[in-house]
Amino acid sequence: MAGRNARGWQAVFSAHPARTVVSAFALVIALGTVALMLPAASADGSVTSPLTALFTATSAVCVTGLVVVDTAEHWSTFGELLILALIQVGGFGIMTMASLLALLVSGRLRLRMQLTAAAETKSLGLGDVRRVLLGVAGCTLIVELAVGAFLALRLRFGYDLGYGEALYSGVFHSISAFNNAGFGLHGDSITRYAQDVWITLPIAVAVILGGLGFPVLLELLRHRNRRRQTGLRNWTLHTRLTLVTTAALLVVGTVLTCLLEWTNPATLGAFDWGQKLMNGFFYSAMSRTAGFNSIDMGALHASTLLFTCTLMFIGGGSAGTAGGIKVTTFSVLAAAMAAEVRGEPNSTVMGRRLAPHALRQALTVALLGIGLVIAATLALLTVTKAPAEAVLFEAVSAFGTVGLSTGITADIPVAGQLILILLMFIGRLGPITLVSSLALRERARRYQLPEERPVIG
């Protein structure tokens, strides 16, 4: 009987690889919670409360960055390393990590592991899995080491930190940045480095690269090694959409941040024009997925918080370390709207016609995300007295796994923190699970019902 039950569970997870991904993330969060409760993980040697440990572990594994305790003050070096390990595992992808280890140890992958790895990395087919796994590992290692080394050198020779301290801080912030986690070793994030372009720019570059998604990074690397295949026309539509939309959102975010906060003495107003542009760009890059901040978040205008919610909800690229509904989802919806306004029967973008099921999936993901954020915001408003705009900002930040906060996270009651934990988990895994489930459920209908058009608008 036990053998039958085991085979039954294996069949369920093999048929729905996304379930395996969700279960693996939940298991790692549970293990991380237990580890963070150990006395050795706290700075004063005490046992961290289960809720604080669960919130921190979820935020780290889901690469969000929201915290209820100060990372540098509450956690010991061992605790910080635990958080860093959870960030790396969560950002890299738990099933991707497991598949890579199996590939390195045995040199082969079983079908079930190939399916789960393909679901998490958005591989085009099972034949791609081995190449994708090695490519993801290579991209991660190269970017994190390069940015970590650059930051370490800057901290050593620009701020006179010891070699060990500079290396530790540089590597920590590099891993946190590339995985779009937003965890920092300072209570003020990186506001102390707001005027140092040699700190803010490398972190922004790491965040942007991680937010593009591994499929885009791997395609860019492949085409870089093929001299004959250069230019946008030879890239896949996914890559082109991701790059163009990311660039557009970065520009729009920078312009709006500078326009709205240019004269605010508590944010950009204290900088010269060059530093204003740099910090505006940095804020634009962070607000879509990362969570580092170089300006006081609590001093932002309500208008800035509102458009930031839009950027956080959109997020970054698919199959990467970013959250949100993803830039391709946003692009597909924008293309559908443009086609409808023009009266065209098909949605087209960059010389390609979009498949109807892609439009349905994009609409489903976006509407469910909106509904989830609204429901969570209403629930949070019933348990906290914080301003509505701050609560909405917190909810969108958790769903988009961004990690930016106006400073109310630690003051939210227990019920509210549990809501945020659930939002972070769904925000990290919801799009993967939902789209995979929709794809598996897709089937051809052998008949068509009579057509009728209800009144719209």
Side-chain angles (χ1 to χ4, degrees):
M1 182 66 68
R4 289 183 180 179
N5 291 335
R7 286 193 295 271
W9 282 110
Q10 289 177 3
V12 169
F13 284 107
S14 296
H16 301 278
R19 293 179 183 175
T20 307
V21 176
V22 172
S23 300
F25 268 79
L27 177 60
V28 172
I29 289 174
L31 294 175
T33 300
V34 174
L36 289 173
M37 290 176 62
L38 296 173
S42 63
D44 59 3
S46 62
V47 176
T48 300
S49 69
L51 180 61
T52 298
L54 175 62
F55 193 99
T56 305
T58 305
S59 183
V61 173
C62 296
V63 290
T64 304
L66 288 176
V67 294
V68 291
V69 293
D70 186 277
T71 303
E73 292 185 2
H74 180 83
W75 304 108
S76 64
T77 301
F78 174 70
E80 292 172 358
L81 291 175
L82 279 176
I83 293 173
L84 195 64
L86 293 174
I87 290 172
Q88 186 69 83
V89 171
F92 188 78
I94 293 170
M95 296 312 300
T96 305
M97 179 83 73
S99 301
L100 180 64
L101 291 176
L103 184 62
L104 294 176
V105 171
S106 64
R108 63 186 181 89
L109 293 174
R110 293 183 178 180
L111 178 60
R112 190 187 315 155
M113 188 163 284
Q114 290 187 56
L115 289 170
T116 54
E120 194 173 50
T121 60
K122 296 292 188 297
S123 301
L124 297 178
L126 294 182
D128 293 333
V129 173
R130 180 188 180 100
R131 176 173 52 82
V132 168
L133 289 175
L134 295 176
V136 167
C139 287
T140 301
L141 189 63
I142 290 172
V143 175
E144 289 179 353
L145 287 179
V147 175
F150 191 95
L151 292 176
L153 290 174
R154 179 59 181 169
L155 293 171
R156 171 65 186 94
F157 296 105
Y159 296 88
D160 294 326
L161 296 184
Y163 284 103
E165 184 180 1
L167 181 62
Y168 177 68
S169 181
V171 171
F172 188 100
H173 286 94
S174 174
I175 293 176
S176 183
F178 182 71
N179 288 284
N180 286 200
F183 277 86
L185 295 176
H186 310 297
D188 59 354
S189 191
I190 60 168
T191 55
R192 64 185 62 188
Y193 305 121
Q195 298 177 328
D196 189 347
V197 68
W198 302 111
I199 295 291
T200 55
L201 187 58
I203 290 178
V205 169
V207 166
I208 293 171
L209 290 176
L212 289 176
F214 292 117
V216 174
L217 293 178
L218 293 178
E219 183 171 356
L220 293 178
L221 289 176
R222 287 199 303 270
H223 281 214
R224 179 179 177 273
N225 295 327
R226 297 176 183 177
R227 296 182 180 180
R228 295 181 180 179
Q229 295 186 0
T230 57
L232 281 171
R233 291 179 299 177
N234 294 299
W235 294 343
T236 62
L237 179 61
H238 171 77
T239 295
R240 287 183 285 168
L241 276 179
T242 301
L243 293 176
V244 172
T245 309
T246 296
L249 291 175
L250 283 173
V251 172
V252 171
T254 302
V255 171
L256 287 177
T257 302
C258 291
L259 286 177
L260 296 174
E261 299 292 329
W262 193 269
T263 59
N264 187 346
T267 55
L268 296 183
F271 302 133
D272 59 39
W273 69 270
Q275 293 169 350
K276 289 179 180 180
L277 292 176
M278 180 60 218
N279 282 278
F281 169 77
F282 185 84
Y283 181 80
S284 176
M286 299 304 111
S287 58
R288 284 185 40 250
T289 180
F292 289 109
N293 63 282
S294 61
I295 55 179
D296 184 1
M297 296 297 301
L300 292 170
H301 294 311
S303 55
T304 307
L305 294 178
L306 181 60
F307 96 79
T308 304
C309 286
T310 304
L311 293 179
M312 292 192 298
F313 186 78
I314 295 173
S318 299
T321 58
I325 63 171
K326 304 300 188 291
V327 293
T328 45
T329 303
F330 174 75
S331 301
V332 167
L333 292 177
M337 291 174 59
E340 191 64 30
V341 169
R342 293 194 299 263
E344 297 178 354
N346 297 313
S347 300
T348 59
V349 59
M350 297 183 180
R352 292 291 186 271
R353 177 171 56 87
L354 297 175
H357 74 271
L359 299 178
R360 295 195 299 270
Q361 289 178 1
L363 187 61
T364 303
V365 170
L367 289 181
L368 286 179
I370 292 173
L372 182 63
V373 167
I374 292 175
T377 302
L378 290 175
L380 288 171
L381 286 173
T382 64
V383 299
T384 181
K385 297 180 179 179
E389 64 269 18
V391 173
L392 174 63
F393 189 90
E394 200 82 7
V396 178
S397 180
F399 171 76
T401 67
V402 179
L404 290 175
S405 174
T406 57
I408 68 171
T409 311
D411 299 326
I412 293 178
V414 172
Q417 292 184 14
L418 291 175
I419 293 173
L420 292 178
I421 289 172
L422 184 62
L423 269 178
M424 289 187 287
F425 189 80
I426 295 176
R428 179 70 175 95
L429 297 172
I432 297 175
T433 307
L434 179 60
V435 174
S436 298
S437 299
L438 291 175
L440 288 171
R441 289 175 177 268
E442 188 173 320
R443 60 184 183 272
R445 185 184 289 270
R446 296 181 181 274
Y447 62 91
Q448 293 293 333
L449 296 173
E451 181 180 289
E452 188 170 347
R453 295 188 178 185
V455 178
I456 302 297

